[in-house]
Amino acid sequence: AVVNAYDDPNILNDLNVYSGTFGLPTMKACPVATATAVAPCFQKMDQRGGTRYPATNSGWALEISLDVEAAHAMCQNCSILLVEANSNSYADLMTAVDRAISSGATVVSNSYGSGEFSGETSYDSHFNKTGVAITFSSGDNGYGASYPASSPYVTAVGGTTLTLDANKAYVGETA
């Protein structure tokens, strides 16, 4: 499952354009719940498990596209469940995480976070789930802790930018 805030109304079409561009199999909408589908498929739901999607937000829609497309590229034989939270509040996002897990997801990818804050551990119970791998973005601003990536119940995922010179030799990196 991929959990994000707000709605990306074009995600399945965007996913299939991406897939066609890079030679990946296209995906169909799931005829049944993702967890019970026989063939890989795509399913989208709101944080309540229905189809009353939240408002569209172009910034979050871009994030959703990136996350769903990367998930499909990494696991082309996997069904993908997108759960869209009503907003980017932790209350709504945690409701969406819980919905993903209760819908049968065994891997839940989350691409959001904030600086650490007092009381953050009150959200850890949403991630302490036996048999479910939960990942969080470590942020877009280099080194430093962000929550929920800093929770002991998740795997923090980050990136590194390598800098090369004109001869393609390694010059440096930033995390």
Side-chain angles (χ1 to χ4, degrees), residues 136-152:
F136 272 93
S137 162
S138 61
D140 298 327
N141 299 312
Y143 181 79
S146 67
Y147 186 83
S150 60
S151 170

Side-chain angles (χ1 to χ4, degrees), residues 14 24 42 44 56 70 72 107 116 131 162 171:
D14 291 350
L24 305 173
F42 176 83
K44 179 171 95 168
T56 301
H72 182 53
V107 177
E116 292 198 283
L162 299 178
V171 177

Side-chain angles (χ1 to χ4, degrees), residues 58-171:
S58 62
W60 280 92
L62 181 63
E63 189 68 37
I64 290 169
S65 291
L66 171 69
D67 296 348
V68 169
E69 291 162 2
H72 182 53
M74 287 186 283
C75 189
Q76 298 165 32
N77 293 319
C78 294
S79 289
I80 297 174
L81 170 63
L82 170 62
V83 183
E84 295 179 332
N86 288 346
S87 75
N88 61 351
S89 73
Y90 274 114
D92 285 340
L93 289 164
M94 294 307 105
T95 298
V97 168
D98 293 342
R99 175 61 58 195
I101 295 167
S102 69
S103 296
T106 56
V107 177
V108 182
S109 173
N110 300 270
S111 189
Y112 54 87
S114 67
E116 292 198 283
F117 56 93
S118 174
E120 67 188 24
T121 57
S122 66
Y123 294 109
D124 282 349
S125 63
H126 298 276
F127 318 129
N128 187 6
K129 307 294 181 188
T130 302
V132 180
I134 300 177
T135 63
F136 272 93
S137 162
S138 61
D140 298 327
N141 299 312
Y143 181 79
S146 67
Y147 186 83
S150 60
S151 170
Y153 302 106
V154 307
T155 300
V157 179
T160 301
T161 301
L162 299 178
T163 304
L164 306 176
D165 65 17
N167 296 319
K168 306 290 184 199
Y170 172 82
V171 177

